[in-house]
Amino acid sequence: MRRTFIQQKTGRVATPGPLAGFVSTRDRTALLLYFLALTKASQEPWDVSLYSAVWARALGLSDPRGSSARGRVSKAWGRLVDRQLVTRARRSRMAVFTLLCEDGSGDPYTRPRAAFVKVPHELWTKGPEPQATGTPARWFEVLTLPELTFLVIGLTNLDFFPLPVERGPDYYGISADTLLRGSRGLRHRGLLTVRKQRITAPLTREGISWENRYTLNPPFGPRGRISTATAAYQ
């Protein structure tokens, strides 16, 4: 998907993309459903049409055949329509959802050729090491919304990237607390490495400061290339 889903830039001025709306409304279900739609609608005419029970099962919702789970899926599709990320039509008795441009403008969808981010299939197929008991979980089932948010932002960056959480509202329309909880959660799960880097800070007493630099771990990273970005223009 295009990076404009996460952040939209005009020169060095950054404004939030549609991702911020999912975070502010705590809409984890619709966010994952959108990722699934992008995965499924992989060729023209960029549409998907499956039973609600199938989507519910793919999202790991309890009792996917039940009316409650199917209702959650239907409402989530409706929120994606409202955000102008998909359109809804009917084909016989099936609902058909067609992708729109990822920036929420309502423009038609086209395959991105540049400035895009890939959400690895391992989000759906892999997970943490299984516990002694219970069914093995997959990453999409266990990652919280803050963790998913930080992960998607991280996927737009190279290794050892800066992301000052206090600038989250300016960069992405996402609170510092959300980004902090996301980075801590990913680190706890072994999906993120955090290193301190010394930087010049002329206005501090010592003239130096330290900033966090982040690298995604398998299966989502590393990328094999070091970021040269600075925190001021991330």
Side-chain angles (χ1 to χ4, degrees):
M1 61 186 172
R2 288 173 176 81
R3 294 186 181 189
T4 51
F5 175 74
I6 301 163
Q7 184 188 68
Q8 301 173 19
K9 286 186 176 182
T10 303
R12 289 184 172 178
V13 178
T15 56
L19 175 64
F22 290 88
V23 177
S24 64
T25 57
R26 301 179 181 180
D27 200 351
R28 182 178 179 275
T29 298
L31 180 62
L32 286 172
L33 181 61
Y34 181 56
F35 290 167
L36 272 177
L38 287 168
T39 302
K40 176 66 174 171
S42 59
Q43 59 186 9
E44 293 188 63
W46 317 115
D47 63 3
V48 291
S49 181
L50 295 170
Y51 292 108
S52 293
V54 176
W55 292 112
R57 187 163 55 247
L59 291 170
L61 300 180
S62 59
D63 188 19
R65 290 174 176 257
S67 59
S68 177
R70 289 185 285 110
R72 286 178 63 186
V73 168
S74 178
K75 290 178 180 178
W77 278 122
R79 296 192 294 275
L80 294 180
V81 171
D82 292 342
R83 291 186 170 106
Q84 297 192 86
L85 294 171
V86 301
T87 62
R88 176 165 41 196
R90 304 292 299 186
R91 182 184 298 153
S92 298
R93 299 181 62 183
M94 296 283 288
V96 180
F97 300 94
T98 302
L99 297 178
L100 294 173
C101 187
E102 302 93 326
D103 61 7
S105 63
D107 292 338
Y109 178 85
T110 57
R111 187 188 300 277
R113 302 297 181 183
F116 62 88
V117 55
K118 290 184 178 181
V119 179
H121 284 174
E122 285 82 357
L123 178 68
W124 315 104
T125 62
K126 304 294 184 181
E129 290 296 324
Q131 303 298 313
T133 59
T135 303
R138 293 160 293 179
W139 285 121
F140 83 92
E141 295 174 299
V142 299
L143 294 181
T144 66
L145 182 57
E147 291 164 0
L148 281 168
T149 300
F150 197 98
L151 173 63
V152 173
I153 292 173
L155 288 169
T156 69
N157 290 273
L158 300 178
D159 304 336
F160 205 62
F161 64 91
L163 204 171
V165 297
E166 68 275 7
R167 299 300 303 276
D170 296 332
Y171 293 161
Y172 304 106
I174 295 169
S175 71
D177 179 66
T178 295
L179 292 177
L180 185 60
R181 286 186 288 127
S183 64
R184 285 176 174 173
L186 292 179
R187 187 178 185 182
H188 177 74
R189 298 183 190 279
L191 296 175
L192 186 72
T193 295
V194 185
R195 295 284 186 266
K196 295 285 186 179
Q197 174 168 281
R198 175 173 165 165
I199 59 174
T200 301
L203 299 183
T204 65
R205 179 181 299 177
E206 295 80 9
I208 63 169
S209 184
W210 299 87
E211 70 175 4
N212 287 335
R213 307 282 294 201
Y214 305 94
T215 301
L216 292 173
N217 295 331
F220 304 110
R223 302 281 298 278
R225 294 174 57 196
I226 300 298
S227 173
T228 60
T230 61
Y233 302 117
Q234 177 65 15

